[in-house]
Amino acid sequence: MTRVFVSRDLAAKSVGADEVAERIAAAARTAGADVEVVRTGTRGMLWLEPLVEVETPEGRVGYGPVAPEEVDGLVAAGLLDGAGRSEGAYLGPVEELPWMKRQQRLTFGRVGVVDPRSATEYEEHDGLQGLRRALTMTPAEVVEEVVDSGLRGRGGAGFPTGIKWRTVLGAEDELKFVCCNADEGDSGTFADRMLIEGDPFVLIEGMTIAAYAVGASEGYVYLRSEYPDAIEALTAAIVTARDRGWLGEDILGSGLSFDLQIRVGAGAYICGEETSMLESLEGKRGMVRAKPPIPALEGLFGKPTVVNNVLSLATIPTILANGAAAYAAYGVGRSLGTSVFQLGGNVARGGIVETAFGITLGELVNDFGGGSASGQPVRAVQVGGPLGAYLPVEQFDLPMDYEAFAAAGAMVGHGGIVVFDESVDMAAMARFAFQFCAEESCGKCTPCRVGAVRGVETIDRITAGVDRAENLVLLDDLCDLMTDGSLCAMGGLTPLPVRSAVRHFGKDFGS
Amino acid sequence: MTMEVTDSAPVPAAGRPQRVRELAAERIRLRGPLLPILHAVQEEFGWISQTDIPVIADVLNLSVAEVHGVVTFYRDFRRDPAGRITVRICQAEACRSVGAVELGEHARRSTGAGFGETTADGRLTVDEVFCLGNCALGPAVQVGDKVHGRVTPARLDAILGEAR
């Protein structure tokens, strides 16, 4: 039997992967060929989607992008045997493509490779090794392993994950929680979604290790309502995990009890902020809490709570399976391990790239991304989401490193990179940053709630040429106030895109 | 907003309060059950009526104001019926870089409905959304449950034509 792989990831489906999978199955039936179409996650080479891979003795051979109407022709040319080298869509062995070969895929090692619904395939591809090893250690040893790995929170803030766990482990309480923040609302970020759709068991395994390490018995995944495919994938995986004894009572015969629930958000961006997420999980308006107390001590329902991002938790199994040193061997300075960079926007070859920290912005945008999709020169990139800085091409030699980015007045954030070509109006983008903040502010603190509205008005006056110099000073002052006076990152970081736009692209503001 | 205070109390549809009570009661054992209940009500009825709120508040032993506050905080919860099909056009940065703003304007011209509005025939509700997680294949548009990538104005018209 020949196995043919087609992604069921939302991005692949958005350009016709379902239709391609159906056509292949139909063409195989017509040809009387013994073919199984396996639906995987995406490899993350999104410009090649729908990507079709065929299992051959030489490995998986790829074809992409394949439009539904091209399927019959490709099958006639020998697709089901991995043939058809003369066809335009033929890519050769997928693992040998430069885009794949240059990466170090630790967290995303299985995504695009396995059937995300298959617990058997998960185990066959090194799944559960991290959990099995963790269960042979004491909780404190697991926590120290995570500390030693250097893993920092992948949600954006970059706080050391192990330190957070140490605090929760040290908090004495009968009830503790592990919460996965899967409210990935930032434009240009899709790695959480891709991971949950492409390898949901790894998140379950990571959360279970976290629960064991800190002594938690219940876990919640706060998932965006905008991601129905991810909700479906994780729901199915949780059911399977319970059936297999990977969740519930006496996990893998270790005596550990831990169970997991999904909670679906309701379209509020601010709930990506950890304290807003906790309020929302409790069934309230998603308004930020002042810290202290920190969630590690008083989190969900006032109990000690680990709050980690999807990718942080999904990286834990790798760290436990291979050891902290193996993970920390990747990276630079205090940015250790690998990060999942997401290339989006106006980019020729968009997708995800997992490499060690230290790769430069230019390598990502030009070497991997191939420049803009439009063919016009790249003018700006926004790194780290809507609250991240806009950087000009002059800064493309910046290495992906939390400290190096901070020193340049920017942030790595969650590694999302959005590319803009020459047609971009940076004053309009700065205005949008304020507009977005005004729209999505929880309203609890004045600098964010009112400051963002004032910001839109001030930029409008600047671009209209009304008292331009004075209003630029006012804008600067407003940005200072929001940075210093906001309760959370929403108001505190909105000045980042605004100021970087003014600094690097001043002529768009009418100078 | 003041309209709600001065309007006479809305009359619930027959059978609806009982069903809302059941949906709430089925979820009361969850920790923090309010959002799951509101999602369940909206899933079944398509929107959350002002008359549902006191019922939910009663089941959860919350004040009507608390439940109202939560319903109005979240963008997902509709407080009036939507068209038969909802079209959401991403307006976030990544999609903007490849023409999402122009696509939104095109949608308004071709359907007559701006963001948050329903077409005169009641078939389509058009709205904006901030990120569907399809940032490398934008502009992204969600029609019903299906997300479409690389949507041009012409393709949007074709997709909407099929949907209607």
Side-chain angles (χ1 to χ4, degrees):
Chain A
M1 185 181 61
T2 306
R3 292 205 300 166
V4 176
F5 304 88
V6 181
S7 173
R8 65 188 305 159
D9 179 277
L10 172 134
K13 294 203 301 182
S14 83
V15 287
D18 281 346
E19 293 79 355
V20 167
E22 284 163 21
R23 291 264 194 137
I24 290 171
R29 275 196 303 274
T30 307
D34 188 13
V35 167
E36 182 193 3
V37 179
V38 180
R39 302 303 298 272
T40 60
T42 175
R43 295 269 193 174
M45 299 180 286
L46 295 176
W47 77 99
L48 292 179
E49 292 290 357
L51 172 69
V52 177
E53 294 179 45
V54 181
E55 205 166 55
T56 74
E58 291 77 42
R60 288 194 195 179
V61 169
Y63 301 80
V66 176
E69 55 275 18
E70 292 170 333
V71 167
D72 290 345
L74 285 165
V75 168
L79 176 137
L80 297 176
D81 302 312
R85 284 166 192 268
S86 58
E87 303 295 317
Y90 180 83
L91 300 165
V94 172
E95 304 278 354
E96 299 303 317
L97 295 174
W99 170 282
M100 293 299 292
K101 279 198 86 156
R102 232 186 123 178
Q103 300 189 40
Q104 289 106 32
R105 290 199 167 192
L106 304 181
T107 309
F108 269 67
R110 272 179 298 264
V111 177
V113 178
V114 299
D115 172 359
R117 301 292 163 94
S118 169
T120 305
E121 281 198 21
Y122 182 68
E123 274 202 279
E124 283 170 0
H125 288 79
D126 303 332
L128 290 192
Q129 289 186 7
L131 177 59
R132 288 187 198 281
R133 176 159 173 260
L135 292 172
T136 66
M137 302 159 72
T138 66
E141 285 168 352
V142 175
V143 169
E144 292 316 307
E145 189 91 34
V146 176
V147 173
D148 292 344
S149 75
L151 178 68
R152 293 166 72 172
R154 296 289 187 257
F159 187 82
T161 303
I163 305 291
K164 196 183 268 184
W165 287 20
R166 202 188 265 163
T167 308
V168 181
L169 173 63
E172 291 193 13
D173 208 307
E174 287 168 8
L175 182 61
K176 297 181 190 178
F177 297 107
V178 175
C179 289
C180 173
N181 189 341
D183 194 67
E184 176 187 63
D186 283 3
S187 173
T189 327
F190 44 88
D192 292 2
R193 181 189 62 65
M194 201 176 274
L195 183 108
I196 293 172
E197 290 183 31
D199 191 14
F201 292 113
V202 78
L203 178 60
I204 295 172
E205 185 183 346
M207 290 185 73
T208 308
I209 295 170
Y212 175 71
V214 304
S217 53
E218 289 182 33
Y220 292 88
V221 180
Y222 188 87
L223 234 172
R224 310 184 72 209
S225 61
E226 290 88 343
Y227 288 176
D229 293 80
I231 295 169
E232 189 195 346
L234 190 59
T235 303
I238 288 173
V239 170
T240 304
R242 282 192 196 123
D243 286 348
R244 294 245 173 169
W246 301 356
L247 281 176
E249 305 282 317
D250 193 24
I251 291 170
L252 298 176
S254 67
L256 173 68
S257 290
F258 176 68
D259 208 353
L260 206 52
Q261 285 187 28
I262 296 174
R263 286 302 165 84
V264 177
Y269 173 80
I270 192 62
C271 293
E273 177 74 23
E274 68 173 350
T275 57
S276 293
M277 184 197 77
L278 293 171
E279 292 284 305
S280 186
L281 275 169
E282 291 180 10
K284 301 174 192 158
R285 294 162 73 94
M287 298 180 79
V288 296
R289 298 177 185 168
K291 290 193 275 192
I294 55 171
L297 295 174
E298 291 181 38
L300 189 61
F301 299 104
K303 298 294 180 182
T305 305
V306 166
V307 182
N308 282 146
N309 168 263
V310 174
L311 296 188
S312 316
L313 289 162
T315 301
I316 295 293
T318 300
I319 291 170
L320 266 296
N322 303 323
Y327 189 74
Y330 294 95
V332 287
R334 289 169 50 214
S335 303
L336 298 180
T338 61
S339 188
V340 179
F341 302 107
Q342 299 133 84
L343 292 169
N346 196 331
V347 64
R349 296 193 295 264
I352 63 128
V353 176
E354 183 176 355
T355 71
F357 282 102
I359 187 171
T360 67
L361 189 52
E363 286 175 289
L364 286 166
V365 175
N366 292 325
D367 299 359
F368 279 98
S372 74
S374 64
Q376 289 185 37
V378 172
R379 180 156 186 244
V381 295
Q382 186 178 32
V383 185
L387 310 178
Y390 286 100
L391 297 170
V393 289
E394 288 74 28
Q395 287 187 297
F396 270 21
D397 56 352
L398 257 183
M400 285 292 171
D401 168 335
Y402 290 104
E403 279 69 39
F405 260 68
M411 65 174 194
V412 171
H414 41 53
I417 298 169
V418 177
V419 179
F420 296 83
D421 72 8
E422 278 193 329
S423 65
V424 68
D425 174 353
M426 292 306 298
M429 295 315 295
R431 185 184 193 278
F432 177 68
F434 275 134
Q435 192 192 331
F436 184 70
C437 181
E439 175 77 23
E440 298 291 345
S441 172
C442 83
K444 187 160 180 169
C445 74
T446 319
C448 175
R449 184 185 66 240
V450 179
V453 178
R454 290 283 175 262
V456 172
E457 295 167 2
T458 308
I459 289 188
D460 283 347
R461 282 196 289 267
I462 291 167
T463 50
V466 179
D467 299 330
R468 204 179 150 275
E470 290 85 346
N471 276 307
L472 277 168
V473 173
L474 181 65
L475 183 72
D476 205 38
D477 191 45
L478 184 66
C479 284
D480 274 341
L481 183 111
M482 287 179 72
T483 305
D484 297 341
S486 298
L487 203 52
C488 80
M490 175 93 227
L493 289 177
T494 295
L496 209 55
V498 174
R499 282 186 144 146
S500 57
V502 175
R503 185 187 317 136
H504 300 300
F505 307 94
K507 80 175 175 60
D508 290 15
F509 293 79
S511 64
Chain B
M1 283 294 163
T2 48
M3 286 286 286
E4 289 158 26
V5 179
T6 52
D7 273 358
S8 56
V11 179
R16 181 160 174 156
Q18 184 51 36
R19 183 62 190 142
V20 170
R21 185 171 293 277
E22 284 168 15
L23 291 169
E26 282 164 17
R27 287 161 182 81
I28 197 160
R29 298 176 75 89
L30 297 173
R31 290 189 198 275
L34 183 50
L35 260 66
I37 290 169
L38 293 172
H39 275 303
V41 171
Q42 177 146 309
E43 170 98 25
E44 184 151 325
F45 295 100
W47 61 297
I48 292 165
S49 160
Q50 200 64 26
T51 61
D52 301 335
I53 291 175
V55 178
I56 297 167
D58 184 48
V59 175
L60 298 186
N61 197 23
L62 292 171
S63 73
V64 169
E66 278 172 292
V67 179
H68 174 86
V70 171
V71 172
T72 53
F73 183 82
Y74 295 95
R75 182 191 291 267
D76 278 3
F77 298 133
R78 300 194 54 85
R79 300 175 62 220
D80 45 11
R84 196 165 55 82
I85 292 153
T86 301
V87 182
R88 303 200 297 173
I89 302 171
C90 180
Q91 294 291 295
E93 285 86 348
C95 285
R96 275 176 186 248
S97 76
V98 283
V101 175
E102 295 75 13
L103 191 64
E105 286 163 4
H106 175 81
R108 177 193 282 272
R109 280 195 303 273
S110 67
T111 66
F115 293 145
E117 294 173 3
T118 300
T119 53
D121 61 9
R123 285 173 185 257
L124 292 178
T125 295
V126 181
D127 210 345
E128 61 186 338
V129 61
F130 295 101
C131 203
L132 296 165
N134 200 22
C135 315
L137 296 172
V141 176
Q142 187 177 30
V143 180
D145 286 336
K146 184 157 171 54
V147 172
H148 301 265
R150 289 194 175 131
V151 180
T152 57
R155 206 162 151 239
L156 182 67
D157 288 342
I159 294 166
L160 295 186
E162 282 172 32
R164 291 172 99 164

